[in-house]
Amino acid sequence: MSARTSPAALPITIRRAVARDAKRLTRLVRGSGAYAGRYAAAVAGYRVGPDYLEAHRAFVAVGTGEYDGRVLGFYSLVLAPPELDLLFVADDAQRRGIGRRLVAHMRSEARAAGVDRVKVVSHVPAEDFYHRAGAVRTGTVLADPPAVPWDRPAFEFRIPSR
């Protein structure tokens, strides 16, 4: 299979995240292979709490069929100022269209809220994903040690009003 080829899309539903999802979302963040090695410290103590889910537009991709009920990914949209704060897909569910479907859902939520642009400060290993998902590179956010000791690519999703 080539780098551009992906297995069949996984059947999912996307729903609003609720407080009972918090622990599963925290495990998804902390267990992300994209944050292994030198990036591990960035998520080691990270917590997605019920208060976070209540304060932001957070949505989960939940598997159906053989993945029934399993949280396969999620995103969080902050509206003021508009930013895609979090986007994670379970390692074993990547390259199956979930990230793209979450981005499409996020764009729809942003449009409904009257937002015309959504900023993304990307994790370095996710840069190609955001480019393929239609985000436009806008610059670089410089390192901010000790919290984030590496530069990060900045992107923007442009949201047409339709």
Side-chain angles (χ1 to χ4, degrees):
M1 181 177 343
S2 76
R4 291 221 176 263
T5 305
S6 63
L10 292 176
I12 63 168
T13 59
I14 297 175
R15 64 163 172 77
R16 188 76 185 248
V18 295
R20 72 176 179 274
D21 295 319
K23 287 183 181 177
R24 290 192 290 181
L25 301 182
T26 296
R27 281 193 302 271
L28 191 61
V29 170
R30 290 183 184 175
S32 173
Y35 284 90
R38 72 179 259 200
Y39 301 117
V43 297
Y46 197 86
R47 177 180 170 270
V48 178
D51 52 336
Y52 178 90
L53 297 176
E54 197 172 298
H56 303 294
R57 290 181 183 222
F59 291 85
V60 295
V62 179
T64 60
E66 69 180 279
Y67 293 92
D68 193 33
R70 181 171 166 217
V71 172
L72 299 171
F74 78 103
Y75 78 87
S76 175
L77 175 64
V78 175
L79 292 178
E83 181 174 3
L84 179 61
D85 188 40
L86 300 171
L87 175 68
F88 282 85
V89 174
D91 289 352
D92 64 340
Q94 290 181 7
R95 304 200 65 80
R96 306 287 295 271
I98 294 170
R100 282 187 175 276
R101 287 183 274 177
L102 287 169
V103 166
H105 190 274
M106 178 276 299
R107 290 178 115 155
S108 178
E109 284 292 310
R111 184 177 305 108
V115 170
D116 66 350
R117 295 168 190 268
V118 175
K119 175 184 173 181
V120 179
V121 177
S122 175
H123 180 49
V124 176
E127 182 174 3
D128 287 340
F129 166 77
Y130 286 112
H131 179 72
R132 288 190 317 271
V136 176
R137 177 86 186 249
T138 58
T140 301
V141 174
L142 299 178
D144 184 20
V148 184
W150 53 83
D151 294 347
R152 294 164 291 156
F155 287 91
E156 179 177 89
F157 283 104
R158 296 184 180 140
I159 312 296
S161 60
R162 288 194 192 181

